[in-house]
Amino acid sequence: MRMSKGLFPTLKEAPKEAKIVSHKLMIRAGLMRKLASGIYTYLPLGYRVIRKIENIIREEMNKTGAQEVLLPTLSPQELWEESGRWEVYGPELMRIKDRHNRLFGLGPTHEEVITDLARREVKSYRQLPLTLYQIQTKFRDEIRPRFGMMRAREFHMKDAYSFDRNEKDLEKNYKKMYQTYQNIFDRCGLKYKAVEADTGPIGGDVSHEFMVLAKTGEDQIVYCKKCGYAANVNRAEYHRSPVTGHQSSVKEKPLKKVKTPGMKSVEEVTGFLKCKPKDLVKTLIYKVDGKPIAILIRGDHGVNERRLEKLLKAKEILLADEKTIEKVTSASLGFSGPVGLKIKIIADSDVASMKNMISGANEKDYHLININIDRDFKVDRILDIRSVIPEDLCPKCKTKLTFSRGIEVGHVFKLGTKYSQVLKATFLDEKGKEKPMIMGCYGIGLDRIMAASIEQNHDENGIIWPLSIAPYQVLVLIVNNQDKRQIKIAEKVYNSLEKEGIEILLDDRDLRAGAKFKDADLMGIPLRITIGNKAIKGNKIEIKIRKNNKVHEIDKKDLIPKIRSLREM
RNA sequence: CGGGGAGUGGCGCAGUUUGGUUUAGCGCGCAGCGUUCGGGACGCUGAGGUCGUGGGUUCGAAUCCCACCUCCCCGACCA
């Protein structure tokens, strides 16, 4: 491609709305432009990257024997109602009406559609296992789109769905996909970790997220450097460090009620009473399978809801709404406390070892100081329910855990029969018995791979693409467009490399050298060939590697083998 | 949805506090001409803006008032 003939709009300054590097560079390098909040146009350079990623995914998926399909973006309300997600998915599911006032959902994910296909087409165990996938535009009306393509409302996803006869086969498929995902992310040049994850609105029992390690990641993960245990903090297990808690020797002080007008949050209360969050106990009212229960947790800790759900053997746990809180505590939100509560109270182990705690007084604008278990209130159960903290140890090998931020680029789920059951996707087994298909689903965010790659690979001058997903592999730069000899050499180089099937960009724009160098760095093409005076006088070709700034000067005749060998790197 | 910030040529900004020398500026970019040409050159000339939208106040509004829209940031079931 000749740059003089195409659209390569680079910017010296990033628009002020872009806050993180990948977003800034994607705009500056001319990969994309914003159309509306969370909705972007891919320009030629950006779309090439997407297609590169797409092809890597496609190749790896095909290797597993999965088949590519293309499901519709629009799907009718009735189908979503069968699975119950027309309700459950909430406003994140975009909906439109056709001219007859029939409602459709714009696909945020396609479990319903694929299960509908399976129930129509798959009848026998002989047709299983089956894995289908697609690469397609998805819509999610994100509560807050941000960071460019990192959290967009219209984005691109590879979603795959597996159908098996039994759990054992699902396990095989799951492992195969897990491995395939590693292959894909490896080929994309990403540094990532696979972590145990929460299943969220997709549902199912087991899931893993593939997290690209980056400071700007929206997720927090925790992992063990020794044994490899890794999980999203929202579900991480841990072995409690023995040093947390333990104040049994402290004397109990007399209970006091203090006025705390309008002080609701931990920060407000601790700021007002001049104490630390760890002196405070939060009283959270949960609805556990519909029944209100009070959870006591230290002010600086959080509840691991998954753990809680498991320990209570509950189907559904939800924080109570304001009305319920007012009914249960007879105070407004922000002033709940355990003293005088009539409902069941569950305390975290760390709370159990606290003395002279501060809590809400179950009375508006009042808190209690020096409350103590047994003396002032009773606890029904003591459980380990707080979420992981930096002091905790690995649940498997008791090594200190490492915290990191991650960008979720892939997610694999064991769905089981969640969708096949409600949508009645069944098959007949060897004995002629009807059974629901056992499903798995596997997603990859293409745009996120692109953004995450930039987060991991850039410098102050711009993007540094890995060869595998670079929009072009080589850029030939003509230093002085007025010099006919330079143009001649550049054209020759360009044509010969193009003939070799190397993806090449020729910067033949009528710009000064400096501007071209800056653009080349910004766009991050891995290999840059500079045609200037050296090429004329010395009969040498200069190749610069974007990644490490190394310059190779080689004879013209060695150019193609050299480029080939550099591409191997 | 709650809180905060912002909308002025393609991008980045000034001007708004105190309404009137502003025919609304500046840098970058863009067009033309000339000089230049290995890390974002320089000179001259020029194009491009209903100052987010709609109302209002006023002799007069980018500037004051009201409403709405859009965008960004923080938070969003942790009391």
Side-chain angles (χ1 to χ4, degrees):
Chain A
M1 179 76 210
R2 285 159 204 276
M3 288 184 74
S4 65
K5 303 269 192 284
L7 182 63
F8 299 92
T10 56
L11 256 37
K12 274 195 188 174
E13 286 167 293
K16 65 177 171 200
E17 71 220 30
K19 305 288 167 180
I20 63 170
V21 232
S22 58
H23 188 192
K24 284 183 187 169
L25 289 175
M26 282 166 85
I27 303 285
R28 285 229 291 135
L31 303 182
M32 65 173 195
R33 291 290 183 261
K34 185 176 77 183
L35 181 63
S37 177
I39 301 175
Y40 294 85
T41 297
Y42 276 119
L43 301 179
L45 210 59
Y47 188 44
R48 282 185 74 97
V49 177
I50 286 291
R51 269 161 35 213
K52 286 289 183 76
I53 295 168
E54 198 177 304
N55 285 335
I56 290 174
I57 294 172
R58 187 171 281 124
E59 278 177 34
E60 294 298 325
M61 289 302 294
N62 290 347
K63 270 189 211 166
T64 69
Q67 279 182 299
E68 188 169 5
V69 293
L70 184 57
L71 305 173
T73 293
L74 293 175
S75 42
Q77 177 183 9
E78 300 82 69
L79 183 57
W80 287 89
E81 279 182 342
E82 275 191 73
S83 71
R85 277 161 124 199
W86 188 258
E87 274 293 308
V88 173
Y89 221 104
E92 206 170 303
L93 173 64
M94 291 206 190
R95 294 150 215 247
I96 59 164
K97 266 185 198 163
D98 72 5
R99 61 171 71 201
H100 306 293
N101 263 334
R102 287 187 285 246
L103 278 159
F104 290 81
L106 281 167
T109 173
H110 280 71
E111 285 78 13
E112 284 80 359
V113 180
I114 200 86
T115 309
D116 177 67
L117 179 71
R119 71 179 167 186
R120 289 168 196 271
E121 309 301 332
V122 179
K123 308 281 182 197
S124 157
Y125 73 96
R126 292 172 202 273
Q127 292 169 281
L128 301 175
L130 178 69
T131 301
L132 300 172
Y133 76 96
Q134 63 165 345
I135 298 170
Q136 188 213 34
T137 301
K138 294 278 189 275
F139 298 85
R140 291 185 190 173
D141 199 356
E142 288 289 344
I143 194 161
R144 181 149 88 87
R146 71 185 120 178
F147 301 148
M149 282 313 290
M150 208 74 101
R151 187 162 290 281
R153 294 195 292 173
E154 176 172 341
F155 59 101
H156 304 89
M157 184 166 132
K158 188 279 320 184
D159 46 326
Y161 306 87
S162 66
F163 299 88
D164 281 296
R165 305 174 196 183
N166 53 45
E167 292 286 343
K168 217 177 101 198
D169 287 0
L170 168 63
E171 178 64 25
K172 265 194 238 161
N173 245 328
Y174 189 81
K175 280 207 173 118
K176 187 155 68 173
M177 279 301 151
Y178 190 103
Q179 180 57 50
T180 299
Y181 273 39
Q182 292 185 319
N183 299 346
I184 290 167
F185 300 128
D186 285 342
R187 281 184 66 184
C188 290
L190 296 169
K191 292 194 255 325
Y192 65 92
K193 261 199 188 308
V195 305
E196 291 178 12
D198 212 354
T199 51
I202 310 283
D205 320 317
V206 178
S207 88
H208 286 88
E209 288 166 333
F210 290 80
M211 294 285 192
V212 170
L213 304 182
K215 285 194 293 288
T216 44
E218 291 189 281
D219 288 281
Q220 253 216 310
I221 61 166
V222 73
Y223 62 93
C224 172
K225 283 180 176 160
K226 196 172 161 207
C227 74
Y229 174 78
N232 194 312
V233 292
N234 65 22
R235 66 149 294 144
E237 300 289 325
Y238 50 84
H239 183 266
R240 269 178 199 250
S241 156
V243 294
T244 58
H246 287 298
Q247 309 187 349
S248 49
S249 57
V250 175
K251 251 194 212 153
E252 294 189 354
K253 294 187 203 159
L255 184 72
K256 242 170 56 185
K257 188 159 107 179
V258 291
K259 192 157 177 127
T260 50
M263 305 292 158
K264 293 180 181 177
S265 68
V266 171
E267 293 74 46
E268 284 165 354
V269 174
T270 53
F272 185 75
L273 296 175
K274 298 197 172 49
C275 59
K276 298 210 173 101
K278 69 176 182 116
D279 302 327
L280 208 113
V281 60
K282 295 190 283 198
T283 308
L284 310 178
I285 310 299
Y286 271 92
K287 274 200 159 169
V288 178
D289 293 335
K291 271 199 207 148
I293 283 183
I295 302 293
L296 304 185
I297 195 100
R298 215 168 82 183
D300 57 336
H301 289 167
V303 174
N304 184 332
E305 296 186 351
R306 274 201 60 101
R307 258 181 104 81
L308 183 63
E309 201 173 273
K310 231 194 278 177
L311 289 167
L312 296 180
K313 298 190 176 76
K315 282 204 190 72
E316 186 188 53
I317 62 164
L318 275 174
L319 272 167
D321 55 278
E322 236 168 289
K323 267 193 195 148
T324 311
I325 293 168
E326 280 166 25
K327 214 171 112 193
V328 169
T329 68
S330 57
S332 65
L333 190 133
F335 301 97
S336 318
V339 180
L341 274 191
K342 299 270 189 308
I343 55 171
K344 202 170 166 190
I345 296 176
I346 296 175
D348 176 59
S349 308
D350 281 350
V351 171
S353 61
M354 283 169 76
K355 285 282 164 75
N356 302 322
M357 303 170 251
I358 299 165
S359 82
N362 294 327
E363 184 179 341
K364 192 176 188 303
D365 294 338
Y366 284 97
H367 276 76
L368 295 178
I369 295 183
N370 300 330
I371 64 166
N372 285 294
I373 299 177
D374 293 336
R375 188 190 69 178
D376 305 315
F377 64 97
K378 294 270 183 284
V379 168
D380 294 283
R381 283 180 83 177
I382 295 171
L383 296 168
D384 283 353
I385 44 171
R386 67 160 169 79
S387 50
V388 65
I389 57 169
E391 289 74 33
D392 286 325
L393 305 177
C394 173
K396 292 196 172 153
C397 72
K398 299 186 189 174
T399 309
K400 195 159 186 308
L401 289 165
T402 306
F403 281 67
S404 174
R405 294 206 146 261
I407 300 163
E408 181 191 344
V409 290
H411 202 158
V412 294
F413 300 80
K414 281 190 197 171
L415 291 174
T417 57
K418 172 167 172 158
Y419 294 92
S420 51
Q421 208 127 53
V422 285
L423 294 178
K424 300 188 179 62
T426 59
F427 66 101
L428 293 182
D429 71 5
E430 301 90 318
K431 291 171 191 144
K433 201 180 154 205
E434 189 176 30
K435 284 185 173 167
M437 296 176 215
I438 312 293
M439 292 174 60
C441 79
Y442 318 89
I444 292 183
L446 309 229
D447 320 271
R448 285 222 182 137
I449 290 182
M450 166 151 75
S453 172
I454 296 171
E455 289 292 328
Q456 279 189 342
N457 307 296
H458 67 271
D459 62 15
E460 63 283 0
N461 296 316
I463 301 169
I464 306 174
W465 292 114
L467 263 158
S468 59
I469 62 169
Y472 292 89
Q473 301 170 340
V474 182
L475 179 131
V476 178
L477 190 152
I478 303 170
V479 169
N480 186 343
N481 250 26
Q482 315 314 312
D483 191 330
K484 294 261 162 49
R485 294 167 301 174
Q486 288 185 21
I487 292 177
K488 210 176 144 193
I489 298 168
E491 288 284 346
K492 229 174 127 181
V493 168
Y494 174 69
N495 287 326
S496 66
L497 287 173
E498 186 144 75
K499 227 178 271 168
E500 284 294 306
I502 290 164
E503 295 167 305
I504 186 162
L505 207 49
L506 175 66
D507 194 348
D508 58 345
R509 295 176 301 172
D510 204 4
L511 291 175
R512 289 168 57 89
K516 294 192 190 180
F517 286 133
K518 289 287 180 195
D519 273 354
D521 286 349
L522 180 60
M523 295 189 298
I525 310 300
L527 301 174
R528 188 186 82 199
I529 295 174
T530 311
I531 307 291
N533 276 329
K534 280 187 223 162
I536 296 167
K537 287 177 193 146
N539 214 29
K540 294 265 184 191
I541 302 280
E542 175 189 312
I543 306 173
K544 187 171 176 184
I545 299 172
R546 176 70 179 93
K547 193 165 53 184
N548 55 20
N549 285 325
K550 273 201 185 126
V551 177
H552 298 260
E553 287 197 14
I554 50 150
D555 277 353
K556 279 181 192 164
K557 61 177 169 38
D558 299 329
L559 179 65
I560 288 170
K562 185 71 189 174
I563 293 281
R564 277 215 195 104
S565 76
L566 287 172
R567 277 165 72 203
E568 302 295 305
M569 290 186 4

